[in-house]
Amino acid sequence: MKLKVRIAYGTDVERVRKLVKKLGQQTKDPDIGPLFLQPLKSRGVVKMEDSAMIMRVKFMTRPGDRFTPRWHV
């Protein structure tokens, strides 16, 4: 699942990337943790818009399980 995250200009992108990585390593929620096949990962800024930078975040689940974690990320 690939998600687009809007971040404000002036935001420390490297810090956001590190926070996403840290969150991905700490996915231990008893309800959704087992659904992740790979940890949450940042793919960096993929687009610049007038009002925000667009950062892509992705994770991997089994087919059919992708929507449950999406609402928690």
Side-chain angles (χ1 to χ4, degrees):
M1 175 66 66
K2 295 176 183 173
L3 305 172
K4 293 179 182 176
V5 179
R6 297 173 61 83
I7 56 176
Y9 284 108
T11 301
D12 184 348
V13 175
E14 185 62 21
R15 184 168 184 218
V16 174
R17 189 190 66 74
K18 287 178 182 179
L19 288 170
V20 169
K21 183 177 180 179
K22 186 176 180 179
L23 285 172
Q25 293 171 344
Q26 295 178 354
T27 308
K28 296 185 181 175
D29 184 288
D31 295 327
I32 65 166
L35 299 177
F36 286 92
L37 298 178
Q38 292 181 356
L40 186 67
K41 295 180 184 176
S42 167
R43 305 317 276 165
V45 174
V46 295
K47 187 176 181 182
M48 307 292 268
E49 293 186 349
D50 290 341
S51 60
M53 297 180 284
I54 308 300
M55 179 178 257
R56 183 174 289 156
V57 176
K58 75 175 194 171
F59 61 88
M60 184 182 291
T61 65
R62 287 180 214 85
D65 287 341
R66 69 178 187 238
F67 295 107
T68 302
R70 181 179 177 169
W71 300 114
H72 295 276
V73 172

